[in-house]
Amino acid sequence: AQSVAQPEDQVNVAEGNPLTVKCTYSVSGNPYLFWYVQYPNRGLQFLLKYITGDNLVKGSYGFEAEFNKSQTSFHLKKPSALVSDSALYFCAVRDGGSQGNLIFGKGTKLSVKP
Amino acid sequence: GAGVSQSPSNKVTEKGKDVELRCDPISGHTALYWYRQRLGQGLEFLIYFQGNSAPDKSGLPSDRFSAERTGESVSTLTIQRTQQEDSAVYLCASSLGQGLNQPQHFGDGTRLSIL
């Protein structure tokens, strides 16, 4: 069965410092991986995806994610955090052998302090 | 509009009443998804429509939940005889086809509160 784990409920960083939001996955086939961000009272916004190719994927708002097949991880990163990055971040996976819905992690709340 | 539109944005109703939630997907998007987000939780998949194919209803939690979609346009999610545990944000998403690499675009959700 497909699953996604986000081991941290909350991540706190100071503005200007690098940030990492962790995600690990489990699928039976090739993974299709996504990161979404959710601001208060809003729907989810797509940030980036990994399908195939380079393990480092660049996305919106300066975010990037590193795919690591051996560790089954897809951690979200940003070199320099902004206060406006504070939001809820969701990792999601789709099994390459199936169709349809995404499987989401429980989300990680990112708090960036000035 | 340019994005996925959901209505109403908020709905408060009494236990036992029926509710109907609406989703207008992005024009041209053949795939449509409904998810439920409980307070402090991730997203639970409910149902998935792709074109004129039979919907994937595997995520519906009970027979009180149903959804319809007319062609490749509007979808409605209906909850009958609502219970307090139905209180959640219901999110709709659409994507350009069912391709595995297609990102889903989400509406802002309907916040449902059952008294």
Side-chain angles (χ1 to χ4, degrees), chain A residues 32 34 36 38 41-46 49 51 88 90 94-102 104-107, chain B residues 33 35 37 40-43 45 48 56 58 89 91 95 97-109 111:
Chain A
Y32 290 67
F34 300 80
Y36 287 82
Q38 186 179 34
N41 299 313
R42 301 298 302 276
L44 277 67
Q45 296 180 32
F46 169 73
K49 65 182 179 183
I51 306 300
L88 193 57
F90 290 96
R94 221 174 200 172
D95 191 326
S98 69
Q99 297 176 351
N101 60 291
L102 292 166
F104 285 86
K106 290 188 174 181
Chain B
Y33 309 79
Y35 294 89
Q37 185 178 26
Q41 300 293 315
L43 276 70
F45 164 71
Y48 159 58
D56 176 357
S58 60
V89 176
L91 291 165
S95 67
Q98 64 182 31
L100 293 166
N101 63 343
Q102 295 293 340
Q104 295 178 19
H105 301 267
F106 284 79
D108 286 342
R111 186 173 301 275

Side-chain angles (χ1 to χ4, degrees), chain A residues 3 64 87-88:
Chain A
S3 66
E64 57 191 27
L88 193 57

Side-chain angles (χ1 to χ4, degrees), chain B residues 66-78:
Chain B
S66 62
E68 294 182 350
R69 186 182 188 194
T70 305
E72 294 182 354
S73 61
V74 171
S75 176
T76 55
L77 176 69
T78 301

Side-chain angles (χ1 to χ4, degrees), chain B residues 2-14:
Chain B
V4 176
S5 177
Q6 290 187 247
S7 61
S9 55
N10 286 282
K11 177 73 175 178
V12 180
T13 192
E14 294 179 346

